[in-house]
Amino acid sequence: MNAVSEAPRVWVTTILFATTALAALILVPLYGLLVGYHWYQWLAFAVYGALCGLSITAGYHRLWSHRTYEAHWSLRLLFALFGAAALQNSVLVWGSSHRRHHRHVDDNDQDPYSARRGFWFSHIGWMLRDYPSGRENFENAKDLQRDKIVMWQHNHYIAITLAMNVGLTFLLGWVTGDIIGMMLLAGILRIVVNHHTTFFINSLAHMWGRRPYTDENTARDNDLLAFFTFGEGYHNYHHIFQTDYRNGIRWYHWDPTKWLIRSASWLGLARNLKTVSDIRIQRAMLTMQFKRAEQKLQGSTHKESWRELLEKEAQEFSAALGEWKELQSRRYENARERLLARWESAAIRTRVKELEYSLKMQRKRLQIMMEQFHLCPATA
Ligand SMILES: [Zn+2]
Ligand SMILES: [Zn+2]
């Protein structure tokens, strides 16, 4: 507690967050009441907000922090410009601290925005004081330092962010005839909304939601947050499979960042999109289901027959995983020695698909088992 209160204040960020928030809360509605806003100012707010938000999620986060795909220089330039407009520091600073967040998640001494230090700290408090856990260290970002666009943005960050925030909104206002109105909506309000929706991923997405893939860290999947954060709310999935360019993996998951990256790949602007195999995803989900089933059975008095069923399923699960691992190693070994005949590689693929399907069915069976257990735990 002492270390927290003793950390020296960072005045630049404190003043920046306080003045933009106060202006958004007081000046923006006041100007609306006294003068009023035009539809095109709201449109500029939405379009500019989306460009900045997506530059953070698709650029800063999934491209630079996690290398989940490769992007053409023109796309990287766009992300660097609108990412700077979002006022969340340079790619280099953002990416290296985000990598530390993943590596040391929930470790109060090393995770720069550990959710275990509370909502306020993980949301914004970590940037308001110079905590040892948040000190800049680019040791883990050598690859970013080799990216010319990243370094250009880092070295000229203040000039770029002024040009993108003050310059561009001033210009838009001047062209449309109301400089103050445009700067309030497309400038101030857009920055504050962008800030807090991004910050929610570090705070709320580590506190509120479900954990279908792992409970080894605090990250949660939350559809509502995903809606407001261009798909970043599937944070439980993201923390276990951070090399996947998707965060919402189902077709019905709201993940505009994933759609943007995929569309960019169709246009030739992105390539080498990485995904995690379905069988690894099924394995993570089943492991969690077994864990939860075990916990439920532990509290029950009439549990023998349920336990037998569960053990049978567990054996099937580990047999399927064993076979999958063997198929993987056979595939890698043969591929290395270039011996794999085409028919054999097709046979392995088919078998992996069958295993995937059997794990999916097993998840369904476990689900039904647990529902029935809920209905009649005493008679079992
Ligand atoms: Zn991440
Ligand atoms: Zn996180």
Side-chain angles (χ1 to χ4, degrees):
M1 214 35 219
N2 274 340
V4 169
S5 51
E6 278 165 13
R9 181 160 292 284
V10 181
W11 284 106
V12 180
T13 48
T14 307
I15 292 169
L16 180 85
F17 289 137
T19 49
T20 48
L22 280 175
L25 286 172
I26 298 166
L27 293 183
V28 170
L30 203 65
Y31 193 81
L33 285 174
L34 297 177
V35 184
Y37 294 111
H38 295 284
W39 63 268
Y40 53 79
Q41 289 162 333
W42 284 111
L43 183 71
F45 161 80
V47 172
Y48 207 179
L51 283 171
C52 291
L54 286 164
S55 294
I56 295 292
T57 61
Y60 274 46
H61 189 214
R62 300 193 201 180
L63 172 70
W64 279 306
S65 299
H66 295 299
R67 298 260 168 227
T68 65
Y69 66 102
E70 288 164 33
H72 189 261
W73 67 265
S74 56
L75 196 58
R76 283 187 285 131
L77 183 63
L78 212 68
F79 289 156
L81 289 174
F82 285 95
L87 268 181
Q88 297 186 18
N89 222 325
S90 68
V91 173
L92 185 62
V93 173
W94 202 106
S96 77
S97 68
H98 190 71
R99 285 177 184 181
R100 274 200 301 284
H101 165 63
H102 273 266
R103 190 175 162 82
H104 302 288
V105 62
D106 299 327
D107 176 339
N108 288 357
D109 297 321
Q110 307 219 47
D111 176 353
Y113 27 90
S114 168
R116 289 202 199 279
R117 291 168 83 168
F119 177 86
W120 177 256
F121 179 87
S122 56
H123 189 74
I124 195 170
W126 66 278
M127 290 174 278
L128 303 180
R129 285 180 185 274
D130 185 16
Y131 296 108
S133 52
R135 299 258 158 85
E136 278 174 16
N137 177 357
F138 303 137
E139 273 299 302
N140 63 356
K142 298 253 189 269
D143 56 321
L144 298 183
Q145 286 173 306
R146 282 194 296 271
D147 187 322
K148 284 198 178 99
I149 290 177
V150 168
M151 290 320 287
W152 167 77
Q153 192 227 35
H154 184 73
N155 292 330
H156 303 95
Y157 180 71
I158 292 178
I160 298 170
T161 201
L162 281 175
M164 291 303 288
N165 280 302
V166 185
L168 202 64
T169 47
F170 183 91
L171 197 71
L172 277 174
W174 180 66
V175 170
T176 51
D178 178 5
I179 293 170
I180 296 176
M182 186 61 88
M183 288 183 93
L184 282 175
L185 283 195
I188 302 286
L189 188 65
R190 186 252 322 153
I191 287 174
V192 173
V193 170
N194 265 158
H195 270 167
H196 290 280
T197 43
T198 306
F199 301 165
F200 274 142
I201 296 303
N202 300 333
S203 56
L204 270 189
H206 276 267
M207 293 169 184
W208 175 37
R210 52 189 194 277
R211 291 196 275 187
Y213 306 98
T214 176
D215 61 359
E216 280 169 14
N217 59 63
T218 53
R220 307 287 209 274
D221 273 13
N222 184 313
D223 303 280
L224 190 70
L225 276 181
F227 183 76
F228 289 108
T229 54
F230 303 98
E232 302 278 77
Y234 301 102
H235 207 53
N236 187 253
Y237 179 83
H238 174 62
H239 262 275
I240 189 170
F241 298 124
Q242 54 173 299
T243 54
D244 199 320
Y245 84 97
R246 312 160 301 170
N247 276 15
I249 50 169
R250 310 284 167 220
W251 64 267
Y252 52 83
H253 283 166
W254 179 264
D255 190 354
T257 305
K258 166 185 78 178
W259 301 327
L260 175 81
I261 296 168
R262 199 178 295 158
S263 311
S265 80
W266 291 333
L267 293 172
L269 295 173
R271 57 179 195 162
N272 205 1
L273 277 52
K274 295 192 190 86
T275 55
V276 167
S277 72
D278 203 34
I279 207 157
R280 285 180 63 200
I281 298 169
Q282 297 288 346
R283 177 175 63 175
M285 290 174 96
L286 259 174
T287 307
M288 278 305 293
Q289 264 175 299
F290 274 115
K291 211 168 173 177
R292 296 217 162 102
E294 273 293 331
Q295 283 163 356
K296 269 184 195 158
L297 284 190
Q298 250 158 30
S300 152
T301 43
H302 301 82
K303 59 184 179 188
E304 275 322 304
S305 54
W306 288 103
R307 182 164 297 283
E308 253 171 50
L309 267 176
L310 195 65
E311 261 162 27
K312 209 175 125 253
E313 292 287 347
Q315 275 168 9
E316 238 175 78
F317 180 45
S318 78
L321 286 186
E323 192 186 340
W324 173 61
K325 272 189 195 138
E326 209 213 293
L327 286 173
Q328 289 298 89
S329 65
R330 222 166 79 202
R331 183 147 71 178
Y332 286 131
E333 226 154 74
N334 286 335
R336 214 180 44 227
E337 290 164 17
R338 297 179 184 282
L339 287 175
L340 199 63
R342 192 176 263 170
W343 65 268
E344 198 186 351
S345 99
I348 289 180
R349 261 203 310 276
T350 313
R351 187 63 196 130
V352 169
K353 282 271 164 233
E354 280 169 8
L355 282 175
E356 259 168 33
Y357 183 74
S358 82
L359 289 188
K360 213 174 268 177
M361 288 301 105
Q362 198 177 24
R363 275 187 43 225
K364 289 234 164 84
R365 282 204 302 279
L366 269 182
Q367 237 157 24
I368 293 167
M369 256 175 77
M370 283 305 106
E371 276 161 20
Q372 284 177 346
F373 177 71
H374 258 311
L375 290 176
C376 52
T379 56

